[in-house]
Amino acid sequence: MKRISFLVLFTLLLTACGSSLTVADKDTLKEYPELEGTIWAWQSMVDSAAAEDCATFLENMRLTLDLTEEACPAAFEYFEETPLVDWSRTDWSSSGGKAKIYEMGGGSIASFIHNEADNSWRADEIFWE
């Protein structure tokens, strides 16, 4: 009986973990180490949208956008079909403080700006509209 319970629990955990997109996998981080902050910011947005965690989602957006919780439902809807990012196409600003990411086989998705004060990368546009 314990063996069956463990198997059921393990299957449920795999199902739950498999339902979310993993952006920041080991191979991607190894191949694009200069994008680590941007990759982790995008992963956080993907995860927070899947969990419908508005506070965490908004933490990944620039404060200058002045977003409120009212923006979250539309953003979460956008992430229902999260675009795959082609990290090799990332455009950098001349200073290296801004990175624009692109969809695999498609157009641009969003730009992220590096905040040196707290070493965070945050989206600087409302890209889901």
Side-chain angles (χ1 to χ4, degrees), residues 70-123:
E70 293 174 2
C72 288
F76 296 163
E77 185 177 326
Y78 171 85
F79 278 97
E80 286 176 4
E81 293 186 33
T82 304
L84 295 177
V85 177
D86 183 352
W87 298 106
S88 69
R89 292 180 52 204
T90 301
D91 283 337
W92 288 94
S93 65
S94 59
S95 67
K98 187 172 185 177
K100 179 172 255 187
I101 62 172
Y102 291 84
E103 186 173 356
M104 190 75 65
S108 68
I109 299 173
S111 293
F112 288 82
I113 292 181
H114 183 237
N115 180 347
E116 292 181 10
D118 66 1
N119 197 30
S120 66
W121 284 86
R122 297 174 190 230

Side-chain angles (χ1 to χ4, degrees), residues 61-68 123-126 128:
M61 302 298 297
R62 297 249 344 227
L63 295 176
T64 57
L65 294 172
D66 201 30
L67 294 172
T68 66
D124 75 334
E125 57 191 296
I126 303 169
W128 55 88

Side-chain angles (χ1 to χ4, degrees), residues 26-60:
K26 183 175 65 172
D27 292 335
T28 301
L29 291 168
K30 186 176 179 181
E31 188 169 353
Y32 304 103
E34 71 281 5
L35 289 170
E36 183 176 4
T38 305
I39 292 169
W40 281 114
W42 185 250
Q43 180 70 64
S44 179
M45 295 178 94
V46 169
D47 292 345
S48 59
E52 295 189 2
D53 178 353
C54 189
T56 301
F57 185 84
L58 293 176
E59 284 177 15
N60 289 287

Side-chain angles (χ1 to χ4, degrees), residues 7-25:
L7 181 60
V8 169
L9 179 62
F10 183 72
T11 303
L12 287 172
L13 285 173
L14 280 178
T15 304
C17 293
S19 64
S20 183
L21 176 65
T22 300
V23 177
D25 63 75

